[in-house]
Amino acid sequence: MSSTSPSDAALAPGAKDTPAPGTPGRSSGLSINVRQSGIYIAFALIVVLFTILTDGALLQPQNISNIIVQNSYILILSIGMILIIIAGHIDLSVGSVVAVTGAIAAVLMVNYGVPWPLALLITLIAGALIGAWQGYWIAYFGIPAFIVTLAGMLLFRALTLTVLGNQGIGPFPDAVRTLSNGFTDGYFGNIGLGPLGGADLFSILLGIVAVAGMAIAQWRTRAARLGYRQAVDSLPVFLLKIVLAAAVILFVIVQLARFKNLPWVLVLLAALVLGYSLVTNRAVFGRRIYAIGGNLQAALLSGIKVKSVIFWIFVNMGVLSAIAGIIFAGRLNQAGPTAGNSFELDAIAAAFIGGAAVQGGVGKVVGAVTGGLIMGVINNGMSLIGSPSERVMLVKGAVLLAAVAFDVWTKRRAASASR
């Protein structure tokens, strides 16, 4: 485990350091925190590279929509996985849980004719119970998460085969397919964008509102950190980050509005990212997750109910796996026995590429989603240029290794600088 104390872990994620008491809050000049910003710089470079290699096809409206829809379930899983990794654990069973929850949803809706809202609710409850089962053995019985979830990977895959009878079940109701593959409706008509053609006005307005909300939230966070005498980015660097983030968000929204508007899975994903970012950044429960991963013994001594926190993050992982299972099955329009194969590896890779630390205590929800998008862009970009599957796996493996090596290097550098 890392030697970070709970008080250190309780700092606002992204704060670089804390000046001595009595000193005013200060900015960090024009320097950029490489560990925090490196993932976003790497993502930008990867996008630029594949845009050049594909002659711009990567950033076409339909292709951006495809990247989001095709990777939505991995991004959802990465949100739950980052919380587990921050706490110092791992979950190898999420792929099998995706399969079994998708199978449960299919049997309820297709075989038994259960109304889809009730079927989805039952599926989410099943996911929560699966997470509670694993969380109990890990938190209260003391079996390492690696062993429990490895057993779960086998158990729930076997249960999937039992539920499905080793065959696919479908088709799904239209509402479930719309959630997985559908798009929001236009409300205000199209607006002309010159050579770009027309785009849905409502989607663009949503993008503007999202950018404004992000800017206000970041400004308030910066002001709060200054009030607590924490180091922050200088105003020019802060404004540059806001402008770049706003440009990226608006570009993606405009491209999607030019195609078929916003995918419903993007709306769901945005809600999850916002909600879980608030939990990890502002809620007591989120602070406790960081404290447990940063220094378990200190967390115990400070009175944190470690077993309860660990139990509930695995329950949460089960629910998110059920959501991903519904999305994946709905996208394929059937639940199959091989669903979810290797999803756990992609979710874990997304978390580590997105900045999670091997020892725990470090990571962000937005970083994990960015890591998942990096994997998705690599898959999509290499597919567009006709690369064979073995080359895609080679590149993804190299990116994962580089991300973890970068994390280890920055820690050693920080440790040597503090001596």
Side-chain angles (χ1 to χ4, degrees), residues 270-342:
L272 290 174
V273 170
L274 177 61
Y276 280 90
S277 294
L278 290 175
V279 168
T280 54
N281 292 340
R282 300 180 183 273
V284 173
F285 184 79
R287 302 295 190 195
R288 289 173 176 171
I289 296 174
Y290 281 99
I292 291 169
N295 190 321
L296 178 59
Q297 293 304 317
L300 287 167
L301 292 173
S302 66
I304 294 175
K305 296 180 180 178
V306 173
K307 293 180 179 179
S308 176
V309 173
I310 293 173
F311 174 81
W312 284 109
I313 61 174
F314 277 94
V315 172
N316 173 74
M317 187 74 254
V319 173
L320 289 176
S321 297
I323 295 174
I326 293 167
I327 297 295
F328 184 71
R331 179 170 173 264
L332 298 182
N333 203 23
Q334 73 166 5
T338 60
N341 279 343
S342 299

Side-chain angles (χ1 to χ4, degrees), residues 57-133:
L58 181 77
L59 297 181
Q60 291 300 309
Q62 182 174 355
N63 196 61
I64 292 177
S65 180
N66 289 341
I67 291 174
I68 294 171
V69 172
Q70 292 170 3
N71 294 279
S72 57
Y73 32 89
I74 298 299
L75 301 181
I76 292 170
L77 292 175
S78 71
I79 294 173
M81 190 64 71
I82 190 69
L83 301 184
I84 288 177
I85 292 175
I86 289 171
H89 295 279
I90 202 75
D91 191 340
L92 301 177
S93 68
V94 294
S96 296
V97 178
V98 165
V100 73
T101 51
I104 291 170
V107 168
L108 289 173
M109 289 184 282
V110 178
N111 289 1
Y112 292 100
V114 176
W116 69 267
L118 179 58
L120 296 191
L121 177 61
I122 294 172
T123 303
L124 295 179
I125 293 173
L129 291 175
I130 289 172
W133 162 265

